[in-house]
Amino acid sequence: MAVTILAIESSCDDTSVAVLRGATVLSNITASQAIHSQYGGVVPEVASRAHEINIVPTVQAALHKAGIEKTDIEAVAFTRGPGLMGSLLVGVSFAKSLALALGVPLLAVNHMQAHVLAHFIDEPIPPFPFLCLTVSGGHTQIVLVRSPLDMEVLGETIDDAAGEAFDKIGKILGLPYPAGPHVDKLAALGNPVFKFPEPRIPELNFSFSGLKTSVMYFLRDQTKENPEFISTHLNDICASVQDRIVSILLNKLKMAAKIHHIHHIAIAGGVSANRGLRKALEETGKKQKWTTYIPQFQYCTDNAAMIGTAARFLYEAGIFADQSAAPLARWHI
Ligand code: KG4
Ligand code: ZN
């Protein structure tokens, strides 16, 4: 009989709870925290307080949607890290109390590993080994995935993450937080007519802070001549920024595929919701003869279904946590 796992994700600003029976997602409920948009970024202390308010109703909603009772839960999974300490603490503490009360085991999940394992929620499931470009608000990594629990980071950002680049540049353009989805929408209405430089970073690592600076200087110069420059060229600026972020990501992915002779290529994390990236991956995939894997939109950004999926592999491997488990702000996969 397939195991029933309740999974909790609280690493950043989304409280998400899922119920899985075996590989099947019975429910996946997310309470997002709109409160941060007024500050232009996630305020950690505000986030942890909002998690405290949201966690009980989100767990109840997930149980209700799944059509199960608390007593049907056979294991409780939680995001142990990486993430914001205060936010993680809420999920970790809640998971530990629930597991203790129900007398069921605990499963401690690595958030970045879970983003990759979002590919195991639905068909098509990539065969091993495959490469996964994990692009989120806090991370940008190319991961060599040998098995569900055996992953190696081949390269990562040395400064800002790709999502952070979208958010910071979007902020300069006056877009609300998180700016990534707004840049995506506006980019679809414009053309990449402005050419921002591509950084020369060795090997499979990335850098995005230079792009942010060059956009800033470009806008400063343009608005000196035309104070309306941003508002009259917003779509083209967004298309140009997105085009460069996507080309930086895909060029490194091409390099990784070539070095490691792997042609099963996946993307994951919040930025994998970006339509420009999804389209470019498909086009590059055709040219390079890759088989590409793109998660459903709902499993790109933070969600507990991916935490439950990672937890299922831990459960099958017999890797359990105990009541001494503490959150980890940093945790390499
Ligand atoms: O994976 P995620 O939900 O949370 C983290 O673990 O960080 O990723 C959030 C990031 C944010 O930076 C957000 O702006 C970006 O993903 N994002 C997007 C899009 N949707 C979310 N960036 C570009 N285009 C999108 N459509
Ligand atoms: Zn994430």
Side-chain angles (χ1 to χ4, degrees), residues 108-186:
V109 173
N110 179 302
H111 182 88
M112 298 313 294
Q113 211 165 38
H115 267 303
V116 174
L117 295 174
H119 284 283
F120 291 75
I121 297 173
D122 281 321
E123 300 287 339
I125 292 168
F128 301 112
F130 66 93
L131 292 179
C132 186
L133 170 72
T134 313
V135 268
S136 71
H139 294 81
T140 301
Q141 303 179 328
I142 296 182
V143 185
L144 169 58
V145 190
R146 295 193 188 90
S147 76
L149 302 175
D150 182 4
M151 301 185 190
E152 184 188 340
V153 177
L154 301 176
E156 59 192 328
T157 183
I158 57 168
D159 42 52
D160 292 349
E164 219 173 338
F166 272 107
D167 295 339
K168 286 182 176 172
I169 295 171
K171 192 175 177 179
I172 299 170
L173 295 170
L175 300 173
Y177 178 86
H182 297 281
V183 174
D184 186 353
K185 263 192 215 128
L186 299 172

Side-chain angles (χ1 to χ4, degrees), residues 9 11 111-112 115 136-137 269-270 300-302 306:
E9 154 62 31
S11 65
H111 182 88
M112 298 313 294
H115 267 303
S136 71
C300 289
T301 46
D302 289 348
M306 70 184 194

Side-chain angles (χ1 to χ4, degrees), residues 159-305:
D159 42 52
D160 292 349
E164 219 173 338
F166 272 107
D167 295 339
K168 286 182 176 172
I169 295 171
K171 192 175 177 179
I172 299 170
L173 295 170
L175 300 173
Y177 178 86
H182 297 281
V183 174
D184 186 353
K185 263 192 215 128
L186 299 172
L189 307 171
N191 292 304
V193 291
F194 306 116
K195 300 295 171 201
F196 298 112
E198 178 148 0
R200 290 170 193 273
I201 306 298
E203 296 166 356
L204 296 174
N205 291 325
F206 301 89
S207 164
F208 290 99
S209 69
L211 176 63
K212 179 189 63 197
T213 312
S214 62
V215 173
M216 224 163 64
Y217 285 133
F218 170 75
L219 295 175
R220 185 197 60 185
D221 295 345
Q222 295 294 328
T223 48
K224 250 187 224 157
E225 285 171 26
N226 171 11
E228 305 299 317
F229 182 80
I230 293 181
S231 57
T232 49
H233 294 81
L234 189 57
N235 298 344
D236 286 348
I237 302 169
C238 287
S240 306
V241 167
Q242 179 170 296
D243 195 60
R244 179 52 77 218
I245 294 176
V246 168
S247 83
I248 294 172
L249 294 171
L250 281 177
N251 284 340
K252 292 290 178 162
L253 206 44
K254 273 195 259 181
M255 208 164 137
K258 209 167 165 186
I259 296 171
H260 292 273
H261 308 288
I262 293 177
H263 54 271
H264 289 281
I265 313 287
I267 54 172
V271 180
S272 65
N274 183 270
R275 284 170 296 171
L277 177 60
R278 294 164 87 97
K279 189 163 161 258
L281 181 76
E282 274 177 8
E283 286 169 4
T284 308
K286 273 190 198 129
K287 279 189 206 142
Q288 301 286 326
K289 302 210 176 359
W290 293 344
T291 311
T292 55
Y293 303 85
I294 302 178
Q296 280 182 38
F297 279 110
Q298 58 169 330
Y299 301 133
C300 289
T301 46
D302 289 348
N303 67 88

